[in-house]
Amino acid sequence: MQLSPTAASEASPMTFCAVFVAFSLSIAALAAARAAAAAEPDIALYAMDCGRMELADADAFADDGAYKGVAKKLVVPCYLIRHPKGDLIWDTGLTEAMADAAAKPPGMSMDRKLSDQLKELGLSPADIEYLAVSHSHFDHIGNGGLFAASTWIVDADERAYAFRPQARADKIEFGAYAALENAKTVEIKEDAPYDVFGDGSVQIVPAPGHTPGHSVLLVKLAQAGPVLLTGDLWHIAESREAKRVPRFNVDRAKTIASYEAVEKLAAEIGARVVRQHVPEDFDAFPKFPQPLR
Ligand SMILES: [Zn+2]
């Protein structure tokens, strides 16, 4: 079709106009995105080595028998989140008393103490304002007692689980965090994310099933983007894709629901998902004392 001179002369300014509007909109969107990025607080996330565990037989970590007779190596990390409004420790690893012990528990080792790594940053446990753990198992709350002067942010069900009679009966494991019973405590009761610093940048997200109040941590970094530290949602790399559930989880249905909720959240915000015990995920962080920002 041949355009009439009139149509052609009208088409050009219209096209130009449409392109200009689209261009202006994209500039506006870009500016808004930049403003949003600039608005993220300057947070530093440090991944610290808080021990290692070697499983001779990982059978307990999948109730479908997939790991029967299979040996696995797990890292045990601790994370320090430095926010302009304060410091948060997320998971405290194996008890650092292990570093000095002549005989280590079978399959466990520790190269460096958590307190020595904090010292390298000029910090002591007493300087850390907030403590939160993904859950109260010994390899996550093992140095909880060092942070009895911090404010402990904890799911109410998880706190009750940590102080149940059966947990108290194990003197060594319980002794490592018993002092938290008298710590300043913020109990999370709602079934919704808890915003640690009030700006949405660091949120404790419920993900129950492994334990009654297991949770994951969302950290929105200015440069690296959102990161999800997923506690013990998946201990072993392939458990995530295969949706495998450990035999010792307290609730299978809630575990599966937590898998789905965390995957949905991660997909929505494009988060980097960190399986905390998986060596390759730990090794992907900058080597301490360098932070991820
Ligand atoms: Zn664990």
Side-chain angles (χ1 to χ4, degrees):
M1 189 187 82
Q2 197 182 356
L3 290 171
S4 70
T6 312
S9 63
E10 276 172 8
S12 294
M14 281 306 289
T15 306
F16 174 75
C17 206
V19 168
F20 180 74
V21 167
F23 181 70
S24 304
L25 285 174
S26 67
I27 291 285
L30 204 61
R34 282 210 180 116
E40 293 288 6
D42 184 22
I43 298 172
L45 170 58
Y46 296 86
M48 295 176 285
D49 180 349
C50 289
R52 307 272 161 160
M53 294 194 288
E54 287 194 28
L55 310 169
D57 181 350
D59 181 49
F61 292 83
D63 62 10
D64 63 358
Y67 303 134
K68 191 168 176 52
V70 179
K72 290 284 179 187
K73 289 184 178 180
L74 308 186
V75 292
V76 185
C78 304
Y79 300 93
L80 172 67
I81 294 95
R82 306 209 73 185
H83 183 286
K85 287 188 186 166
D87 295 326
L88 166 71
I89 280 276
W90 173 256
D91 282 344
T92 66
L94 296 167
T95 179
E96 64 177 34
M98 192 186 291
D100 298 327
K104 314 274 187 276
M108 295 186 205
S109 62
M110 180 170 288
D111 288 344
R112 289 197 75 189
K113 293 181 177 182
L114 168 56
S115 58
D116 286 342
Q117 292 173 82
L118 291 175
K119 200 180 288 174
E120 200 174 331
L121 298 174
L123 295 168
S124 77
D127 296 322
I128 308 298
E129 285 86 355
Y130 302 102
L131 162 72
V133 292
S134 58
H135 63 298
S136 58
H137 283 162
F138 71 97
D139 54 323
H140 297 261
I141 204 168
N143 292 304
L146 296 179
F147 300 93
S150 309
T151 296
W152 186 24
I153 306 170
V154 60
D155 180 279
D157 292 339
E158 192 64 24
R159 188 178 186 282
Y161 185 70
F163 293 119
R164 73 196 191 282
Q166 196 189 334
R168 290 174 189 276
D170 190 315
K171 294 289 175 229
I172 294 175
E173 285 185 15
F174 183 70
Y177 66 87
L180 288 177
E181 199 158 17
N182 300 313
K184 189 176 163 194
T185 300
V186 173
E187 279 200 353
I188 307 174
K189 288 176 183 131
E190 312 95 279
D191 190 20
Y194 178 83
D195 186 350
V196 177
F197 297 105
D199 59 7
S201 63
V202 179
Q203 298 180 44
I204 299 170
V205 181
H210 183 56
T211 59
H214 180 275
S215 51
V216 303
L217 189 74
L218 170 61
V219 183
K220 294 180 179 171
L221 297 171
Q223 290 160 39
V227 176
L228 274 165
L229 303 175
T230 61
D232 277 7
L233 218 46
W234 306 286
H235 299 78
I236 288 162
E238 52 270 39
S239 291
R240 181 182 173 196
E241 204 180 323
K243 297 187 173 68
R244 291 197 181 113
V245 178
R247 297 186 192 279
F248 55 98
N249 278 20
V250 297
D251 192 314
R252 191 177 210 285
K254 282 187 180 173
T255 301
I256 295 292
S258 291
Y259 288 169
E260 286 167 2
V262 171
E263 293 290 10
K264 185 166 175 277
L265 173 63
E268 276 170 8
I269 62 175
R272 166 172 167 178
V273 173
V274 178
R275 299 158 298 186
Q276 290 187 196
H277 281 306
V278 174
E280 68 196 62
D281 288 11
F282 182 73
D283 293 341
F285 278 93
K287 197 167 166 50
F288 184 85
Q290 293 305 312
L292 186 67
R293 288 186 185 274

